[in-house]
Amino acid sequence: MVKHPHLPLRRLEGELPRRKRQFVPPAPTWTPQERGSTLLSEASEVVASIARPRADGNEPLLIVKVATGGFVDEEALGRVDMTVLSQSTDSTIVVYSPDNNLTQFQYNATAYSGGPRDGKASAPYSGLFNAIEHLIELAPADRIGPALKREGYEDGHSFNTEVEYLLDVELWQPTVDMRSVFVSRVERLLASHDATLLSEYHGADILLVRIRGLGAAVQALLEMPEVASLDLPPSVDFTPLDTSALIIDNIPVAEAPPEDALVIGVIDSGLTSEHPLLRLGVIDAFGVPDELGSDDQRGHGTSVAGIAMYGDLSARLEAGQLSAHFKIASAKVVDQSGNFDDDETVPAIMEAAIRRLVDQSGCRVVNISLADRHHPVDQRPSPWAATLDTLARELDLIIVVAAGNVSENVGARMSDEGTGIYPSYLLAPQNRIFEPGSAMNAIVVGSISHTSGLNEDDADYVDIIPIANDGEPSPFTRSGPGCAKSIKPDFVDRGGTAVWHGGNMRIEDARYRNSAGILSLHEDYLQRLFAYRSGTSFAAPLIAYKASLLREAFPDATANLTRALLAVSSDHPSALIDVLKGADKDSYLRLAGHGLPDVERALESEDSRVILIGEDRLGIDTFAVYEVPIPSDFQRTKGRRHIRVALAYDPPVRRTRKEYLGVKMGFHLVRGASEREVFDQFRKWEKKTEGEP
């Protein structure tokens, strides 16, 4: 097949304001007098409550929940001295007011409760008060994070006053100036309970502190208005070390990557930089914090780095060619037990590691095969995910993360119900992807099987049963969707498989059998060079490798174009579609996202398959029109033909808002219309304009 460079996508002249749908609120079922009376009563109760002396001795602080029944304009709230701190998906916002008496709020609510006047159809300030249903004080239970709730912590009384806890505490931040004030108040409270503030992290939209203290200190923190939430720190979802590895006596001579090769950043458990197949391409290795060192005592990071550096090692060995394609820079962020540093927050660790990889090694692709087993994706992205989103946008960076692995209770269920529970159990709510898989500007990767996992010795054993076959979801991969029902994981790649061993009553992955794993490097190279691994951790670096091939081929392209090329070249293996036929229609998206990228298709066009590329900028609330030429062969040839569109963009994110993405984009593919008709259909029309279609 003849290969060709991709073609430019031509933008037609003109950028116009787009047409918007007008929202018409439903007619209220209450009178202004009824609603105003309720809000005035609740405001008085809030004011009286916060006037009571605080147990921690700090000045009163008014932070309150506002239950809403519609859109609430932040500017309108500002006119009653209220600042929005957070929005949630259940029509609740949290506001701060510097006026502990809510003077302006009560004045305007009084005017509203008087109903329409001066011949007007609606009461004064009805735009605001029609949307506010109740003012509610925040309770300690409101401040307990999802991971603690899953562990059974319901309120302050759930914490044992004699037990020591290590927790991440997120603080509100009404203004930048108040950040240090709130941190100081928390520090004083902790000191009074012989507890310790270990570290703090000031992110773009995040204020976190890591604390250690007895349950009495935790109970006191839950009473502080400054505290938004407290929860367990991230805990890494590591696939345990395998017990067997491949020894190859005669392997091809390894070749170093080219001098100008791209550098892939690997944030993991470190690596064995003296491994003979790694030392050819490792240009930097460090720990965050520095005291961790850079050596891989866990065995995880070395295997991840080997895949990122070589790609498919099995294919290279079969071809008799073992040349490294990319260089590696490693940031070790977990210790030999697989734990992050107790004294530092994970967002701070991630930001320090990523900035150092970019600044010192020029990394344009970073792989993070770490997932937080305490925090499946929930309604709101985690601070870890929000930090990755912000850095990906700021640094024009491809960040690849693993979706995490299913491990708990699956073996017990199979012993009772058999392998027939596959693949439906993967779609269960408890098997949703782990954080930071809610990141929208990062690439989240799930795993598909590369084989059945059986070997020649299994032929005589009826109790050794394959769970998945080539191209089907790996028995341990986790499922989406992401936040706001987004398609997550973004992609899948081959990360190994597992089989059911009825005699041993267990699921066996690469820890028990080489045939279930994909080939990578072993950290103890003096004992063995290679190891077999199973897990989404090892599918992720395959995607990082493919993304690096694209960044190498298109050096001037943005991270957005790289993501779009991966998407437009992806497809779902037929085996995956077949095995999910009995599940919900969106199950293949929840397990495989946009599918398995074919990087060869992304790199070049062909005679009968052409990719058109456009990179551009658009103003807010505007649209542009692009022309897709349709050759006559495409129109006339019989058989299946398709047009596939991939749009990638990197919006700013707002973790404290209901709409996490600061900007949204979309596209329409229009057929059989003229340029003028398309512009007229989508542009904003003024009332005075004649001839609106």
Side-chain angles (χ1 to χ4, degrees), residues 9 392-393 396-398 440-443 488 490-491 550-551 557-569 594 612-618 626 644-652 661 663-667:
L9 182 64
R393 172 181 167 84
D396 188 34
L397 195 62
I398 292 286
M440 301 295 281
N441 294 337
I443 293 174
K488 293 287 176 177
D490 296 275
F491 305 111
L550 292 171
R551 300 216 83 166
T558 63
N560 284 332
L561 177 55
T562 305
R563 291 194 292 151
L565 286 170
L566 285 171
V568 83
S569 72
H594 300 290
L612 299 138
I613 291 175
E615 287 198 275
D616 217 333
R617 291 175 178 269
L618 277 179
Y626 298 84
R644 179 176 291 178
V645 181
L647 168 66
Y649 66 107
D650 53 355
L661 301 183
V663 179
K664 289 186 177 180
M665 294 184 74
F667 66 85

Side-chain angles (χ1 to χ4, degrees), residues 340-506:
F340 292 107
D341 182 65
D342 280 353
D343 294 347
E344 195 57 81
T345 64
V346 171
I349 290 171
M350 289 294 146
E351 180 164 353
I354 289 172
R355 290 193 182 280
R356 188 166 171 182
L357 288 169
V358 172
D359 293 343
Q360 292 185 184
S361 301
C363 295
R364 302 181 67 196
V365 176
V366 172
N367 186 90
I368 306 174
S369 287
L370 306 173
D372 178 8
R373 61 186 174 88
H374 279 155
H375 294 88
V377 169
D378 205 348
Q379 294 180 342
R380 178 171 297 179
S382 67
W384 183 356
T387 299
L388 298 185
D389 277 337
T390 299
L391 291 171
R393 172 181 167 84
E394 176 192 339
L395 302 173
D396 188 34
L397 195 62
I398 292 286
I399 298 178
V400 181
V401 301
N405 302 314
V406 171
S407 57
E408 298 178 1
N409 301 322
V410 176
R413 283 194 61 192
M414 283 196 177
S415 66
D416 294 334
E417 304 174 54
T419 57
I421 64 172
Y422 171 88
S424 59
Y425 70 85
L426 296 173
L427 298 164
Q430 64 267 29
N431 292 330
R432 201 170 176 188
I433 55 177
F434 283 143
E435 290 288 3
S438 61
M440 301 295 281
N441 294 337
I443 293 174
V444 182
V445 181
S447 176
I448 56 174
S449 299
H450 66 304
T451 177
S452 67
L454 299 178
N455 57 48
E456 294 179 359
D457 296 336
D458 296 327
D460 297 334
Y461 297 95
V462 71
D463 60 345
I464 299 178
I465 304 169
I467 301 172
N469 293 301
D470 181 24
E472 297 176 354
S474 297
F476 45 75
T477 194
R478 299 186 77 87
S479 61
C483 286
K485 298 182 180 179
S486 59
I487 294 178
K488 293 287 176 177
D490 296 275
F491 305 111
V492 289
D493 218 310
R494 290 180 166 85
T497 189
V499 303
W500 173 247
H501 195 309
N504 294 333
M505 299 296 285
R506 69 187 181 193

Side-chain angles (χ1 to χ4, degrees), residues 294-355:
S294 61
D295 193 46
D296 185 10
Q297 299 164 308
R298 184 78 189 177
H300 193 266
T302 299
S303 294
V304 170
I307 296 171
M309 188 171 173
Y310 289 93
D312 187 339
L313 268 165
S314 293
R316 288 186 176 274
L317 287 174
E318 288 174 7
Q321 182 258 11
L322 202 57
S323 58
H325 199 107
F326 298 111
K327 296 179 180 179
I328 297 294
S330 166
K332 179 179 179 178
V333 296
V334 294
D335 60 20
Q336 61 184 0
S337 300
N339 296 319
F340 292 107
D341 182 65
D342 280 353
D343 294 347
E344 195 57 81
T345 64
V346 171
I349 290 171
M350 289 294 146
E351 180 164 353
I354 289 172
R355 290 193 182 280

Side-chain angles (χ1 to χ4, degrees), residues 43 46 50 52 61 83 117 126 131 239 254 257 289 337 341 349 362 365 410 430 476 578 592 601 609 619 646 650 671:
V46 168
I50 70 156
R52 295 193 296 267
L61 185 69
T83 300
R117 59 189 181 191
S126 58
T239 301
S337 300
D341 182 65
I349 290 171
V365 176
V410 176
Q430 64 267 29
F476 45 75
D578 290 342
R601 293 168 62 90
R609 184 187 55 81
D650 53 355
R671 172 184 171 185

Side-chain angles (χ1 to χ4, degrees), residues 283-296:
I283 66 167
D284 194 13
F286 56 88
V288 181
D290 290 332
E291 305 85 73
L292 268 181
S294 61
D295 193 46
D296 185 10

